[in-house]
Amino acid sequence: MQHRHVALALNTVGGAQTIIHETGHAPGLIDYYSNPTTFTPNKGMNTNDMMNDNIGDHCGFSKWLLGWIDDDHVTRIVVNQDGVTVKRDNADAEHMASVSQAVTSLDYEDMRQQGSIVAISADPALLGSEGRFSSYYVLQYDDAVGNQSVMSRPMLRLYRVQAELNDSRVFTHSNISSTEAHNQVIELVDMTQAPNHDGSTDLKQGDHINGSTTPSTNFHDLAASGFTGIDITVTSINALGATVAISYNDSGHEIPQAFTITDTLMSRGIIGADAYKLKTSARVAKTDPYSQAILTVNGKDFDVDFDINGDGDIITLDYQLPVGTLTTTSSCSLSCSFTFPKGTFILGIKDGKTVTSERITVPVKVAPWRTSRRPEPTHGMGIIPTC
C-alpha cells in the first residue's frame, strides 16, 4: 500500500518532473541547487533547470556532458592577449583578433533535432578532448518551445562553469555543498546585478560583460583570482537566436599599487567574542581557504578564522577570546590588532604569476564595554565600564 501511495503521488506534473530530475543523476548529473542550510548569496544555478528546480529542460552544459549535444554542435572559443581561437564543427581551430559568433537555439519543437551552445574560456584546455571538464562560460539561447515551453519568452543566458574532475572522475566543485559565492560547478551569470538593467536575469541586446563589469567574466566573479580577459557584447537578438562579439579585454586586470585594510565598518572595538568586520581597499581573494589571521591583545596572540564576502572587499573575523582576556585591570591600557601574514591575499596575476599581499597589521581599539555576542561564563567578563 505504501508503494501505491508513492506511485499515485508521482502521477502528477510535479511527480514527473521529480522522476526526470532523479533520473538525471543516473548517468552522472549532479544537483545544481544550493544547500539551504549553508546558503550563501549568489550561490547555486539561480535559474530554471531540470537539475536545479525540476522545471524546464536540461541546460546545454548537462547535454554536452551526457553526449546529447555532439561536439560539432558546440562552438569552442579560447580568448587570450593574442586574440581568439575558434573551433567549430570538429574542424581545425582558427585564430583571429576577435569573432562575431551566432548563438542558435538549444531547443526545438522536434525533439530529435539537436540544439547548440557556445563555450568560451581563457584556458586552452577547452579545445582538447576533455574540454568539457574544464572551466569556461556557456552561452545558451532557448526558444520557449518543447521542453522549454514553460518559459514565457526566448532567453539568452550565460553560465559560469567549473567542471574539473579529480582522480576518481568526480567534480572537484559542487553546488550543493559549496559555502562560497560564485564557486560551484555551474551558476548563472545573473544580469539583475548589472546597473541600469531591466531586472531580468538573461542577456539583452547591447549588454556588455568583461573583467571590469558587474557581473563579470571573472571566475569567482573576482579579477584578483579569476581574471579571464573574456569580453562579450550582445550585438543582436532575434527570432533565430543571437549574435555576440567576443574578444580579449584587459579591463579589470589592474593590480592595486597599495593594498590596505582598515577598521572603518564597525570601529566600536573588540569585545569578548564577535564577528568583526574590516574593509579592504581592493577586491581580493584568500590564497588559502583555511588561512587565519592573528588577534593580538596586550602581547597575547590568538588565531582567528576569517572569510571574505562575495564582493571580495569585506573581511569577517570570527573569534572568541578566553574568559578574562579583557579585564578591568587592563581595560585602560589594552593594545589590540589584527594581523594578516604575508601572502594571505591574492591581489592579482602579473606575467602569469600570482601577486600576493605583504604582512598587514590593523590596529583596533577595545570597546568601552566587552559583552560577548555568545553565551559565556560571566566571571571576569560581564559589562566593564570605560576608563
Side-chain angles (χ1 to χ4, degrees), residues 76-80 119-126 134-137 219 228 230:
R76 307 187 215 186
I77 301 174
V78 171
V79 175
N80 57 40
I120 313 162
S121 180
D123 185 354
L126 178 65
S134 61
S135 289
Y136 50 92
Y137 286 82
F219 283 97
T228 64
I230 296 170

Side-chain angles (χ1 to χ4, degrees), residues 302-333:
F302 304 92
D303 292 333
V304 177
D305 293 326
F306 71 94
D307 291 309
I308 305 177
N309 69 333
D311 290 331
D313 61 350
I314 296 176
I315 300 169
T316 300
L317 301 111
D318 198 16
Y319 71 89
Q320 184 168 13
L321 294 172
V323 173
T325 302
L326 305 178
T327 65
T328 52
T329 56
S330 60
S331 61
C332 300
S333 59

